[in-house]
Amino acid sequence: MSRSFVEVSGLGKSFPAKNAVPVVVYDNVNFALNKGEFVCIIGHSGCGKSTILNTLAGLDEPTTGAVIMNGREVKGPSLERGIVFQNYSLLPWLSALKNVEFGVKARWPEWSKAQVREHSVRYLNMVGLDHALERKPSQLSGGMRQRVSIARAFATQPELLLLDEPFGALDALTRGVIQQELVKIWSETQQTVFMITHDVDEALLLSDRILLMSNGPNAVVAESVHVDLPRPRQRTTIIHHPGYYTLRNYLVDFLVNRSGDREGFGPGAHPRAVNPLSQDSPSAEPEPAVTTRAIKQLAVS
Amino acid sequence: MSSLKIRSAILSCVLVFSLCAIWEVLTRQDVRSGELSEYEMLMGGAVPEAAVPPPSAVLALAWEQLTDPFYDKGPNDKGIGIQLGYSLYRVLSGYVLAALIAIPVGFVVGMSPLMYGALNPIIQVLRPISPLAWMPLALFIIKDSETSAIFVIFICSIWPMLLNTAFGVANVRKDWINVARTHELSSLRTAFAVILPAAAPTILTGMRISIGIAWLVIVAAEMLVGGTGIGYFVWNEWNNLDLTSVIFSILMIGCVGMLLDLVLSGAQKLVQYSE
C-alpha cells in the first residue's frame, strides 16, 4: 500500500471539563495529504480547525490518534513544517529582512551571512517587499506583515506548509493581491500546503482539494471536495469558469445546510470524496441564488 | 514640536530664575555699616547667627568647587568630584553585582512556574525591608564599612530588577515562543534570540528603577558609615554648619541622579520595540 505524504488517523481532541464529561472538540478525524497538494479546510468556528493545524505543526498534542508525515509520527515542532499564523507572529524588534533571516539561519546554520541574506532577500522579492527590507513590523501594514510572514515560511523550504487563516485579518483588496502572490510562489515551489480559511472563494482559487468539517463539538472531516478547475487560476477569470458556481454552491450548501447534520457523517468515517463537477453537467451553470456578499456572511457566521 | 521644546525650556529658566530671585531677596543679610562693636571685633566680624545662604553664595561655591573638583587636602577636605566618585563607585559595584544575580535568577523565575511559586514568597518578604535595616547585620558579618555600603546598595537594587525580569520573561507572547519552537531553536538560543529581546524593555525598566533607588540609598548609607562619599560629605558639612556646601551637594546629588537615569533611559530606548 502506498502511503500518503501526510496521514492523519484517528485524531481526537478533548478538553477536561469541571465535574462533567470532557468536551470532545473532534473525534476520529482522518484525512491524508499528497505531496505537492494544496488543501484547504473549511468549517464553522469552534470545529477545531486550528487545533488540527497546531497538531500537524506539532505545537499541540492530540488526545487520541496520530499524525504521520513521511512515515514518521509528528512529535513536536520541526523545521519540516512551516507555519504562517493569522496574527503574523513576526518578531517586532527585528526588521523584515531579519525576520526572514531568523528562519533561514535556523534552517541552515552552516550558511554564511551573505548566503543567508541573499536567500532571504530573494524570498522577500517574491512577495514584493524588496523596498521594505529594513522596516520593522510596526512600520508595515497588515498585508505587508503577512507577506513577510509568508516569505519567512517559504524561505525555510519546509516539506509541509501550514497556513492558519493567513488572510483573515486583511481587507478584501489586499487579500486578493496576496492570494495571487501565494498562488505564484506555490506554483514555483510546489510545496505541500495545508490551509485554514473561512472564505469559500479563497479556497476555490487556491486549492486542489477542500476538506469540509462538520460543526463541533464532536466534529469530523465529512467530505473531501475535489476542485477540478484548471490551473493557473486567476481571481478575475476563475469566476467565469462554467464549473465555478457549481462548486461554490456545493460548498456553501454544505456550510449553511448540512454541516450541522450529524447523521450523514458519523465518527469513524473517512471523508467522503466528492467531485461536484463530474456529477453535474458543467454546461448547466446555475445562477448564484444569493449575492456574493450574503453567501460570504453565511459562510463565516 | 521643537518650538514647544524651546518654549518649555524658556519657561523652565524663567521659573528657576524667579525662584532664585525670591530666595536671594529673602535671605539677603544686612550689610553692616559703620563701626564694629567690641563683641564683633572679638568675633572677628563673624556673623553671630547661622542663616540659610542666598543662591549667589551657593553659585560662588559651586564655581569654586567645580573648577577644582578633585583636590584632596586630607580626610575632611576633599573635592566634590572625589566624593561623588566614591559614591558612584559604591553604587555601581553594588548595582552591577545585583544585576548579575537578579537578571539570571529573574529569567529562571519567569520561565519556571515551579521556581516562581517557590521563590515568590521569599522575595515578597525580603523586598519591603528598608535597605538600611540590613546595615547592622552587614557591618557585623562583613566587618568593613565600605563593603557593607556596597552590600546595602546590592540588596536594595536587586528586587526591582529581579521582579521586572521575571515579569517580562513570563509575559513574552506565546506566539513568539511558538516561532522559536517551530524553528527548532534550542532552549538557550530561544532564551537569547527571542525571550531576552522580547523582555528587554521590561528588564530595563527594572534596572532604571533600581539605579534610582540605589542612588537614593547611597546618601543615607554613607551618612551612617562615614569616611568618604557624597552622603558623608553632606553630613560632615552639616556638622561644620556650612549650609552653602550642604545646598550645593544636594544639587549635585540631584544632577548625578538625573544623569544616571538618562543613561538608563537611553539604553531603554535602544531595546524598545513597538508591536
Side-chain angles (χ1 to χ4, degrees):
Chain A
M1 163 188 155
S2 72
R3 307 197 71 148
S4 304
F5 173 54
V6 176
E7 272 181 72
V8 175
S9 54
L11 208 64
K13 183 79 185 175
S14 51
F15 293 102
K18 269 183 214 147
N19 54 49
V21 271
V23 178
V24 180
V25 184
Y26 52 84
D27 189 23
N28 209 356
V29 163
N30 299 286
F31 62 88
L33 306 175
N34 297 316
K35 190 109 195 157
E37 209 178 15
F38 198 124
V39 176
C40 278
I41 186 162
I42 303 189
H44 288 268
S45 300
C47 69
K49 301 181 298 291
S50 287
T51 320
I52 290 179
L53 185 127
N54 281 341
T55 312
L56 280 170
L59 290 172
D60 205 336
E61 292 206 350
T63 315
T64 59
V67 175
I68 313 282
M69 181 168 124
N70 265 342
R72 271 182 299 149
E73 187 176 354
V74 168
K75 292 238 180 240
S78 150
L79 278 163
E80 293 308 328
R81 293 177 294 277
I83 311 182
V84 175
F85 297 96
Q86 183 179 5
N87 53 9
Y88 327 126
S89 289
L90 298 173
L91 303 175
W93 55 89
L94 298 178
S95 66
L97 177 61
K98 289 267 185 281
N99 262 290
V100 179
E101 284 184 352
F102 179 90
V104 176
K105 263 189 271 181
R107 175 85 206 205
W108 296 283
E110 70 281 3
W111 277 16
S112 73
K113 260 200 170 118
Q115 235 175 333
V116 168
R117 191 190 154 91
E118 188 256 302
H119 185 84
S120 310
V121 170
R122 184 144 46 86
Y123 276 86
L124 279 164
N125 275 344
M126 273 192 205
V127 292
L129 275 185
D130 39 326
H131 60 286
L133 299 180
E134 298 308 327
R135 281 205 245 165
K136 297 274 171 73
S138 58
Q139 298 161 316
L140 298 171
S141 68
M144 290 161 96
R145 288 185 212 184
Q146 194 56 291
R147 285 184 176 131
V148 177
S149 185
I150 289 170
R152 181 176 66 187
F154 272 94
T156 54
Q157 298 176 348
E159 290 199 61
L160 173 63
L161 198 62
L162 303 161
L163 310 177
D164 187 357
E165 269 190 74
F167 312 125
L170 303 180
D171 64 277
L173 288 172
T174 316
R175 191 187 304 189
V177 176
I178 306 187
Q179 280 167 357
Q180 209 62 59
E181 278 167 7
L182 183 63
V183 173
K184 200 182 96 217
I185 304 176
W186 175 76
S187 59
E188 281 166 22
T189 57
Q190 287 298 322
Q191 263 153 327
T192 315
V193 182
F194 180 78
M195 171 167 149
I196 295 178
T197 179
H198 272 128
D199 185 336
V200 173
D201 294 295
E202 180 172 288
L204 286 172
L205 175 71
L206 298 172
S207 43
D208 298 312
R209 214 145 50 83
I210 299 174
L211 300 176
L212 295 172
M213 273 193 93
S214 67
N215 293 354
N218 286 309
V220 292
V221 176
E223 293 186 3
S224 157
V225 180
H226 182 56
V227 183
D228 200 2
L229 298 172
R231 288 187 188 271
R233 299 174 193 160
Q234 292 282 334
R235 270 171 76 77
T236 42
T237 52
I238 187 177
I239 49 172
H240 301 303
H241 186 273
Y244 186 78
Y245 275 101
T246 316
L247 278 165
R248 194 176 195 289
N249 288 350
Y250 185 87
L251 298 176
V252 173
D253 175 57
F254 175 89
L255 290 169
V256 177
N257 300 321
R258 299 198 293 122
S259 61
D261 170 24
R262 201 147 299 152
E263 308 304 309
F265 21 82
H270 278 258
R272 193 157 61 91
V274 190
N275 186 352
L277 294 190
S278 70
Q279 289 158 10
D280 298 283
S281 148
S283 55
E285 185 185 339
E287 280 300 306
V290 246
T291 64
T292 313
R293 182 184 288 270
I295 291 172
K296 260 193 189 151
Q297 277 169 353
L298 278 172
V300 297
S301 63
Chain B
M1 183 60 209
S2 70
S3 99
L4 181 70
K5 266 186 188 163
I6 293 168
R7 279 188 297 161
S8 25
I10 293 171
L11 187 59
S12 190
C13 290
V14 169
L15 277 174
V16 170
F17 187 79
S18 19
L19 279 174
C20 287
I22 295 170
W23 175 12
E24 181 80 40
V25 169
L26 288 178
T27 52
R28 179 158 295 258
Q29 282 161 349
D30 314 323
V31 181
R32 300 261 161 177
S33 54
E35 294 269 310
L36 296 173
S37 68
E38 197 173 346
Y39 175 74
E40 283 164 344
M41 282 200 283
L42 278 171
M43 294 294 289
V47 186
E49 234 173 84
V52 176
S56 51
V58 177
L59 267 177
L61 179 76
W63 176 252
E64 188 190 314
Q65 284 275 6
L66 291 175
T67 44
D68 183 17
F70 296 109
Y71 72 88
D72 189 353
K73 295 176 186 159
N76 272 334
D77 194 5
K78 293 187 203 301
I80 189 82
I82 292 184
Q83 306 288 18
L84 283 170
Y86 274 112
S87 299
L88 276 171
Y89 157 70
R90 288 178 191 136
V91 162
L92 293 180
S93 333
Y95 180 79
V96 168
L97 276 176
L100 287 179
I101 292 181
I103 293 172
V105 173
F107 236 84
V108 173
V109 172
M111 286 179 90
S112 145
L114 173 76
M115 291 301 281
Y116 178 81
L119 289 180
N120 193 40
I122 304 174
I123 295 171
Q124 292 308 335
V125 169
L126 293 179
R127 194 173 62 100
I129 298 170
S130 163
L132 290 177
W134 294 98
M135 191 59 109
L137 194 62
L139 284 170
F140 178 76
I141 294 174
I142 303 172
K143 295 196 169 57
D144 175 60
S145 61
E146 170 88 24
T147 321
S148 301
I150 293 176
F151 171 77
V152 166
I153 296 304
F154 166 81
I155 204 82
C156 77
S157 43
I158 197 167
W159 309 119
M161 283 196 265
L162 203 161
L163 290 174
N164 269 276
T165 306
F167 180 79
V169 168
N171 286 289
V172 171
R173 288 247 309 265
K174 194 88 176 45
D175 299 333
W176 300 338
I177 306 282
N178 277 343
V179 169
R181 288 182 65 201
T182 52
H183 287 90
E184 289 186 48
L185 259 54
S186 66
S187 321
L188 200 67
R189 290 254 355 242
T190 307
F192 279 104
V194 177
I195 298 175
L196 187 63
T202 325
I203 296 174
L204 270 159
T205 306
M207 294 179 74
R208 205 172 153 187
I209 298 172
S210 279
I211 198 80
I213 294 177
W215 190 244
L216 289 181
V217 166
I218 193 63
V219 175
E222 284 171 346
M223 284 181 176
L224 280 177
V225 299
T228 46
I230 191 72
Y232 165 75
F233 182 72
V234 172
W235 201 250
N236 200 29
E237 294 306 326
W238 158 239
N239 285 336
N240 294 341
L241 213 56
D242 184 354
L243 288 171
T244 318
S245 288
V246 169
I247 292 172
F248 168 63
S249 24
I250 288 175
L251 289 175
M252 288 312 290
I253 293 171
C255 291
V256 173
M258 187 184 72
L259 286 179
L260 288 174
D261 190 64
L262 269 180
V263 169
L264 275 151
S265 79
Q268 197 173 19
K269 279 202 189 93
L270 286 182
V271 298
Q272 196 64 281
Y273 56 84
S274 56
E275 283 181 43

